[in-house]
Amino acid sequence: MGRCENNIIPIKISHLAEYVSKVKRISLDDALVYIYVNPMYERLYNEEAKWWYLSTEALYEEFERSRVRQNREISKEEFEFYTYCLENYAIRKQISGMRAWVKFKESSADEYVIDNYDLLHTQGLEYVLDDIQRFINRRKR
């Protein structure tokens, strides 16, 4: 990515955070979390897509569409299993639940656990936590 785009994106993020804060009536910090956990954030750095050329309002609409797609319905059992894995991962790694949640989101381990619920929930906790760690490690490469 060119230097120009690397300079534009932080400005776009700043403007978008201000807009999100105003529209959703949330703090600027919460607006940044809204941006950073949205899959669209990574797409801003896609050189071919040139998302940074969109207006703040158009970029917000894309973030909203992406957020809606991301929030698919999961069953109560899947969610309980996901939180069980998340909390046990945090305990094993001796990190906060929030830090574990961030690791899961950054690596897409959250989607992995939910998408593979049928198989994973039949396994023992140690196996599941080891499997999640392998998944996260592969994503780091």
Side-chain angles (χ1 to χ4, degrees):
M1 174 171 283
R3 281 180 34 196
C4 182
E5 291 84 2
N6 281 338
N7 292 330
I8 291 171
I9 293 173
I11 294 167
K12 288 300 241 185
I13 296 296
S14 174
H15 292 184
L16 182 60
E18 290 171 359
Y19 186 79
V20 168
S21 174
K22 180 181 167 189
V23 169
K24 293 196 169 284
R25 295 184 177 151
I26 59 177
S27 72
L28 285 170
D29 280 342
D30 288 342
L32 283 173
V33 170
Y34 166 90
I35 293 167
Y36 290 144
V37 301
N38 192 302
M40 267 304 294
Y41 171 72
E42 291 179 19
R43 294 185 199 145
L44 280 174
Y45 288 92
N46 181 334
E47 206 167 338
E48 285 107 37
K50 300 192 184 317
W51 289 103
W52 59 85
Y53 283 120
L54 292 177
S55 70
T56 301
E57 293 81 9
L59 200 51
Y60 171 74
E61 289 174 15
E62 288 299 324
F63 268 72
E64 278 294 291
R65 276 194 281 280
S66 181
R67 188 182 64 79
V68 168
R69 284 190 303 269
Q70 182 184 19
N71 291 334
R72 73 169 178 88
E73 287 293 318
I74 61 172
S75 71
K76 182 180 187 301
E77 293 81 13
E78 289 171 326
F79 183 71
E80 287 174 351
F81 181 70
Y82 167 67
T83 56
Y84 175 76
C85 292
L86 184 63
E87 289 298 314
N88 278 286
Y89 182 85
I91 291 166
R92 179 191 251 195
K93 295 295 184 180
Q94 297 180 336
I95 59 178
S96 70
M98 178 60 135
R99 182 68 194 124
W101 178 81
V102 168
K103 283 186 110 170
F104 274 41
K105 286 290 183 188
E106 288 175 343
S107 65
S108 299
D110 56 338
E111 294 173 24
Y112 174 75
V113 170
I114 292 166
D115 291 346
N116 292 285
Y117 165 79
D118 289 336
L119 173 66
L120 291 175
H121 88 281
T122 64
Q123 306 301 312
L125 178 60
E126 291 303 312
Y127 173 86
V128 171
L129 293 177
D130 289 343
D131 194 51
I132 291 169
Q133 188 59 57
R134 279 189 299 276
F135 180 84
I136 291 171
N137 289 343
R138 280 192 305 267
R139 289 298 179 119
K140 286 181 185 177
R141 292 184 203 154

